Amino acid sequence: MGGCFSKPKPVELKIEVVLPEKERGKEELSASGKGSPRGYQGNGTARHFHAEERLPTPQPYPSPQDCVEATVCHVKDLENGQMREVELGWGKVLLVKDNGEFHALGHKCPHYGAPLVKGVLSRGRVRCPWHGACFNISTGDLEDFPGLDSLHKFQVKIEKEKVTIRASKQALQLQRRTKVMAKCISPSAGHSSSTNVLIVGAGAAGLVCAETLRQEGFSDRIVLCTLDRHLPYDRAKLSKSLDAQPEQLALRPKEFFRAYGIEMLTEAQVVTVDVRNKKVVFKDGFKLEYSKLLLAPGSSPKTLTCKGKDVENVFTIRTPEDANRVLRLARGRNAVVVGAGFLGMEVAAYLTEKAHSVSVVELEETPFRRFLGERVGRALMKMFENNRVKFYMQTEVSELRAQEGKLQEVVLKSSKVLRADVCVLGIGAVPATGFLRQSGIGLDSRGFIPVNKMMQTNVPGVFAAGDAVTFPLAWRNNRKVNIPHWQMAHAQGRVAAQNMLAQEAEINTVPYLWTAMFGKSLRYAEPVTCLGSQEKDPELSCGGLGQVSGVPRSETKSWGKCQLQFPRIPHRGI
């Protein structure tokens, strides 16, 4: 795997071109770029592809009329370590100078379109300024999550100390590249009773596992099942954008799954796992045998147990339909949010301009206190109060009162009565692992699935990833922790897939999450990276305490430059 290698001398160098993904040669079926691709058979052996199993012969590099070429700068216009957006007529390109070499890449992060020029360039990678995804500047490949796609890499030429870029017009407009994937050579005939890989749960972990298998040359059957009625979507966005529709949240279109032979079973609930016979049973009685199994069932939201708990218009936000209905009921009316964690505060922030009133009920003294500390919690609380949100702290719900079956009032243990047309619960979650209790797959006392660094459970051939697992965190001397971050689920899904293929990969990424409220973007890394700047924004920085990483987007360039050892690592279970 190469890149565009050139030095600031008045000579023309040979350039190794990384072509748009769909035009690459057949030899690039492995995302790691190591050797020839391998398929994985049900008996646990690896095998090389036969000629007929490879992807179709790629199209040649686009003809001149399909490309655009432009001289964009002088070699001395950029210092080492600098990045610049340059215009090619059909679109912009990110030009990077690193160790005297120039690289040209797509300029937007494929995840949600962040301008990478505002990110951080370090050790041959550029990190997205919004959500932390990392891309290799020599290949454009995605190397750290979140997100699914990589960047296009464009040809760079140095002539007479001028930098010229040649790029595909189509690639400039797409701004994203899906890695080359194998296709399934053993599709099922209808509902076949066996599969090589079964993935239970179609969140980030499950989808990334399936895609990684295909990227690494796995060409046998993959079945991905989900309780949801929708194809995999960005559930983390639901609480930030209650009006989002399923098609807007979809991580991949239906055609993608068809093209790469990833079979989707929607509204499919697994009720039993038989590890001795390598078989699962679904609620409707359907039985499916597997060779390798990934468990990524996620979590189930906690609900209230108080009087009136079954009244209408009380929601846990799990689906786009839930979010959309909350918004409809809250418009111009009274909304109560129970829980001042990330989900509750995001919902409250979104509803401030939509609802007549927004109230937040919380057991703690300040929002986010366990995660971010009291100082940051109070700063955020003040920001919400300035936007008309009322807080009722150190109390909880004692009763939900209804009129004609629909919510009318929320009664607190402090005796305060809140008018409420809709109530959103954000009071935590429990692992959705009840179906595993008699399976022989290990669960801890709280229902989490313990795994090792390779995402392997106590049962050979059974892996687990996502919100329902505890795993060894390197930064905590390998203590088992549960960190239900969107980014972490991506990483765990990839590691699980790599170890299904006997690649001996280990989970080794810094847990990281983000949120956005009232135009402020708060970033939180566990446990070693601080993004805050006390001088520029003292209310949202760690202030030298190392408790929190929270900054406006304008300050994200400090990513990776401040290394602090956190005095405590706030996460579930420790």
Side-chain angles (χ1 to χ4, degrees), residues 149-336:
D149 289 319
S150 298
L151 301 174
H152 284 287
K153 184 71 190 292
F154 304 115
Q155 182 179 1
V156 177
K157 180 172 64 176
I158 309 296
E159 190 172 27
K160 296 180 180 180
E161 298 195 334
K162 299 288 187 181
V163 180
T164 300
I165 300 174
R166 184 172 186 263
S168 157
K169 295 175 182 177
Q170 182 183 26
L172 286 171
Q173 293 176 326
L174 289 176
Q175 287 296 327
R176 66 178 61 229
R177 171 175 61 85
T178 300
K179 290 182 179 179
V180 168
M181 296 190 193
K183 294 189 177 183
C184 182
I185 62 166
S186 55
S188 67
H191 284 285
S192 174
S193 61
S194 66
T195 182
N196 298 93
V197 173
L198 173 62
I199 300 172
V200 179
L207 178 58
V208 169
C209 179
E211 291 200 19
T212 301
L213 288 170
R214 290 288 186 244
Q215 291 164 3
E216 294 296 323
F218 180 80
S219 59
D220 287 313
R221 191 182 182 200
I222 299 173
V223 174
L224 182 58
C225 66
T226 175
L227 274 170
D228 216 296
R229 60 182 292 192
H230 304 292
L231 296 177
Y233 61 90
D234 189 347
R235 177 170 277 142
K237 195 176 179 182
L238 288 177
S239 55
K240 303 176 183 71
S241 183
L242 299 177
D243 63 344
Q245 300 301 305
E247 58 273 15
Q248 296 172 313
L249 300 170
L251 297 174
R252 294 296 193 193
K254 184 186 299 184
E255 294 73 24
F256 177 90
F257 297 95
R258 186 181 300 116
Y260 297 108
I262 300 172
E263 298 176 46
M264 286 295 311
L265 298 181
T266 57
E267 298 181 274
Q269 182 179 358
V270 175
V271 294
T272 304
V273 177
D274 179 354
V275 297
R276 177 173 296 181
N277 296 305
K278 293 189 173 183
K279 178 172 61 179
V280 302
V281 180
F282 290 83
K283 189 175 181 179
D284 63 1
F286 177 59
K287 299 177 181 179
L288 187 62
E289 296 179 0
Y290 63 84
S291 296
K292 296 290 183 181
L293 173 66
L294 175 70
L295 298 168
S299 57
S300 300
K302 293 181 179 179
T303 58
L304 295 175
T305 57
C306 63
K307 183 179 179 181
K309 62 180 181 179
D310 296 323
V311 304
E312 292 184 34
N313 299 343
V314 178
F315 296 88
T316 57
I317 296 183
R318 295 291 294 168
T319 68
E321 289 78 14
D322 291 337
N324 296 168
R325 193 171 177 199
V326 166
L327 179 58
R328 286 196 301 270
L329 291 169
R331 285 191 184 277
R333 297 180 182 178
N334 304 295
V336 172

Side-chain angles (χ1 to χ4, degrees), residues 540-552:
L540 292 179
S541 73
C542 71
L545 299 177
Q547 285 185 311
V548 61
S549 302
V551 293

